[in-house]
Amino acid sequence: MPDDRTDFIVVSNRLPVDRVVDADGATAWKQSPGGLVTALEPVMRAADGAWVGWAGQPDLDLEPFENEGITIVPVPLSERDIELYYEGFSNDTLWPLYHDVIAQPSYHRVWWERYVEVNRRFAERTAEVSAEGATVWVQDYQLQLVPRMLRELRPDLTIGFFNHIPFPAYGIYSQLPWRTQIIEGLLGADVIGFQRAADAGNFTRAIRRLLPYSTRGSIVEVPDGDGTREVVAKAFPISIDAAAFEELAQRPEVVARAAQIRHDLGDPETILLGVDRLDYTKGIGHRLKAYGELLKDSRIDVEDTVLVQVASPSRERVETYRQLRDEIELTVGRLNGDFSTISHQAISYLHHGFPREEMAALYLAADVMLVTALRDGMNLVAKEYVAARKDEDGVLVLSEFAGAADELKAALLINPHDIAGLKDTIMQAVEMPRADRRRRMRSLRKRVRDNDVAHWSRSFLDTLRRARAES
Ligand code: G6P
């Protein structure tokens, strides 16, 4: 038996680093986009574990290697796997379905077949690198069949699963032609974690509708051989490494960069900020509509206000994402054309990802942070903004459809579909007195500090340990 097998393994579709090739053909590794990596990277740095996943490019068959203290175990995906399993079933079936069909999901049998095949590859690779009795933590909607496949291959393992995105109500979930197989796949885990209590409730209700298994509270009784096995399904709201982010945002070079950003934007009175992957779930169009109307109504003026919108590129070969990019960029172009002056831009639009330092500087510079998601598992940008603001200033406008709204109640909560309400709330944020800003930010900061990512992983892994011990 090889002795390089590991006791703690995280499995996710995407590795924490993507392999990138620059114009000269040189290869490098860069941090992957999205909340999953933001949350799990600090957990993995603290644990001495391995991370199984895809390196972000087709046909890379790489040997395991070390990256910043984490053992990386790449799983290869071919062009065709990317098309059918990743862009197709994961991001054009499950993603829109699980986000309450904001975009229409497509159902294709060949996508499903490839999803099964690729999930099996992840399960097999994980089984190879896991030591006897190891703990495996499978992540997110791309790998929902892995828990059961892995249990069949390796009954000795303790298996957790965490869903980073919402789990929809049965009326929506039931559209999925493979709805029962997905639930059976997930029930291979000992513990299944969700962002919100509502997601866990939707999941257990789906079980009751589809399978003859009994559920009590967060416990599901799953047949196992001659007896049953207890699976726990409950909410564990994810978070960030709040202390590390706060420390980063206080570094002199970051503070200086924040001042520079403000200066470069023409020293406006108010900087509004949006930071999102360019995704239709994020409500960027609703935000731009509200902002454009405020300009049109002369409730705000480009001479003293600017909106900085960071929209990091995402899933660019999926048609819905292409269309979204066109729509957003058309709107930004129109608003800038209508309202910018030679010296002041209405919107500073940035279609790139940025390093963490630059993000921290942007958060420090922003008077108002706009999170207007139509549906979002958690939204860690909201938590990063709060962690960065040790000065207890800045106002967070937060969609009630983001998981973060369950915890961050001292934010200004909005319904992004209600444009009139959104406009009024943006004005309330812009005009909020300092004492009020401080009171709200203090309360938000306490919440984010007390429930950081170490707390999240500890409570999930403790539950997993107990669940396994009891079974
Ligand atoms: C969300 C998902 C992650 C995903 C990330 C980036 O945060 O929950 O699973 O990795 O988006 O998306 P991508 O498709 O680029 O991996």
Side-chain angles (χ1 to χ4, degrees):
M1 219 178 258
D3 52 13
D4 55 352
R5 299 190 312 166
T6 322
D7 290 319
F8 181 63
I9 302 98
V10 157
V11 192
S12 66
N13 172 60
R14 201 180 267 285
L15 285 166
V17 281
D18 272 344
R19 192 161 183 266
V20 286
V21 183
D22 69 16
D24 308 326
T27 59
W29 293 91
K30 95 170 201 300
Q31 201 204 342
S32 304
L36 184 153
V37 166
T38 306
L40 275 163
E41 212 186 8
V43 174
M44 284 306 276
R45 266 185 223 275
D48 186 18
W51 193 323
V52 178
W54 171 52
Q57 277 191 10
D59 294 318
L60 281 180
D61 202 355
L62 302 169
E63 286 303 311
F65 64 96
E66 292 285 316
N67 183 277
E68 303 194 12
I70 303 173
T71 305
I72 302 283
V73 183
V75 176
L77 293 185
S78 67
E79 273 290 357
R80 199 81 179 126
D81 295 331
I82 294 171
E83 200 185 308
L84 305 177
Y85 146 80
Y86 169 69
E87 293 166 347
F89 199 77
S90 297
N91 290 319
D92 211 5
T93 305
L94 294 173
W95 181 270
L97 182 74
Y98 282 30
H99 287 87
D100 286 356
V101 299
I102 296 168
Q104 186 59 42
S106 304
Y107 303 110
H108 296 297
R109 284 163 286 181
V110 285
W111 290 3
W112 162 252
E113 282 154 19
R114 192 62 67 116
Y115 182 81
V116 177
E117 207 179 304
V118 172
N119 270 244
R120 179 155 298 119
R121 190 178 315 152
F122 273 82
E124 283 167 358
R125 190 71 187 109
T126 306
E128 282 162 16
V129 298
S130 301
E132 184 70 25
T135 296
V136 178
W137 196 0
V138 184
Q139 311 289 326
D140 229 354
Y141 61 100
Q142 303 94 339
L143 301 177
Q144 293 174 99
L145 304 177
V146 170
R148 180 175 178 159
M149 291 172 169
L150 197 53
R151 179 171 293 278
E152 281 166 6
L153 290 166
R154 291 286 306 272
D156 59 298
L157 300 176
T158 299
I159 304 169
F161 180 90
F162 188 78
N163 197 50
H164 292 251
I165 69 172
F167 194 90
Y170 187 70
I172 291 175
Y173 181 72
S174 55
Q175 285 186 13
L176 187 66
W178 307 280
R179 57 197 187 186
T180 310
Q181 290 96 311
I182 293 273
I183 300 234
E184 293 274 26
L186 289 169
L187 287 173
D190 297 288
V191 175
I192 306 169
F194 295 92
Q195 300 281 27
R196 303 177 100 156
D199 299 318
N202 287 341
F203 177 69
T204 41
R205 273 188 294 276
I207 296 174
R208 287 198 292 275
R209 298 293 292 266
L210 293 168
L211 291 159
Y213 304 165
S214 66
T215 64
R216 351 169 222 113
S218 57
I219 307 286
V220 188
E221 302 271 352
V222 181
D224 188 32
D226 294 337
T228 56
R229 199 164 56 80
E230 286 194 348
V231 176
V232 178
K234 61 183 277 231
F236 300 87
I238 204 169
S239 194
I240 56 165
D241 186 346
F245 209 83
E246 176 178 314
E247 184 274 317
L248 174 70
Q250 278 183 281
R251 289 186 196 160
E253 62 277 19
V254 173
V255 175
R257 177 66 191 143
Q260 183 69 43
I261 289 172
R262 190 159 209 113
H263 178 73
D264 291 349
L265 288 167
D267 282 316
E269 265 168 47
T270 308
I271 299 175
L272 306 168
L273 176 65
V275 173
D276 311 87
R277 273 186 313 100
L278 190 40
D279 194 298
Y280 50 82
T281 59
K282 304 289 184 184
I284 304 171
H286 293 63
R287 188 181 315 165
L288 292 176
K289 185 162 184 60
Y291 180 66
E293 287 191 17
L294 288 173
L295 286 167
K296 186 157 169 278
D297 305 344
S298 302
R299 289 171 77 184
I300 51 176
D301 185 341
V302 286
E303 296 297 319
D304 51 45
T305 304
V306 63
L307 168 63
V308 177
Q309 176 63 56
V310 175
S312 49
S314 190
R315 306 173 190 164
E316 291 189 286
R317 300 198 316 186
V318 179
E319 186 51 33
T320 335
Y321 287 76
R322 282 195 195 156
Q323 280 172 15
L324 174 79
R325 182 174 178 195
D326 287 347
E327 279 165 29
I328 296 297
E329 294 184 354
L330 182 71
T331 309
V332 169
R334 283 207 177 134
L335 289 175
N336 273 336
D338 286 345
F339 296 105
S340 297
T341 62
I342 296 281
S343 53
H344 291 94
Q345 248 195 328
I347 304 170
S348 170
Y349 172 78
L350 305 154
H351 184 244
H352 339 269
F354 288 99
R356 260 196 265 266
E357 292 72 15
E358 185 72 355
M359 292 317 305
L362 274 168
Y363 295 141
L364 282 186
D367 302 290
V368 177
M369 180 81 215
L370 298 173
V371 177
T372 58
L374 305 177
R375 189 42 94 195
D376 206 335
M378 177 53 63
N379 197 290
L380 292 180
V381 163
K383 293 190 173 180
E384 286 183 345
Y385 180 63
V386 169
R389 299 310 299 250
K390 198 165 187 219
D391 60 354
E392 297 179 338
D393 207 348
V395 184
L396 174 64
V397 174
L398 176 62
S399 167
E400 62 190 66
F401 300 110
D406 279 4
E407 296 172 82
L408 303 184
K409 296 210 177 357
L412 295 181
L413 295 182
I414 49 111
N415 168 6
H417 299 282
D418 171 13
I419 299 296
L422 177 56
K423 286 164 67 183
D424 289 346
T425 308
I426 294 175
M427 291 317 296
Q428 189 191 342
V430 169
E431 289 161 359
M432 190 181 285
R434 175 74 174 104
D436 222 1
R437 304 202 294 265
R438 183 181 297 129
R439 184 180 52 75
R440 285 178 182 273
M441 188 51 86
R442 248 191 213 152
S443 150
L444 292 170
R445 288 178 56 74
K446 176 158 173 29
R447 192 71 210 204
V448 171
R449 240 189 347 250
D450 290 351
N451 296 292
D452 66 355
V453 76
H455 174 269
W456 169 76
S457 61
R458 216 180 308 118
S459 54
F460 185 94
L461 294 172
D462 283 350
T463 309
L464 185 55
R465 223 165 287 129
R466 273 199 305 274
R468 186 64 179 190
E470 276 162 26
S471 70

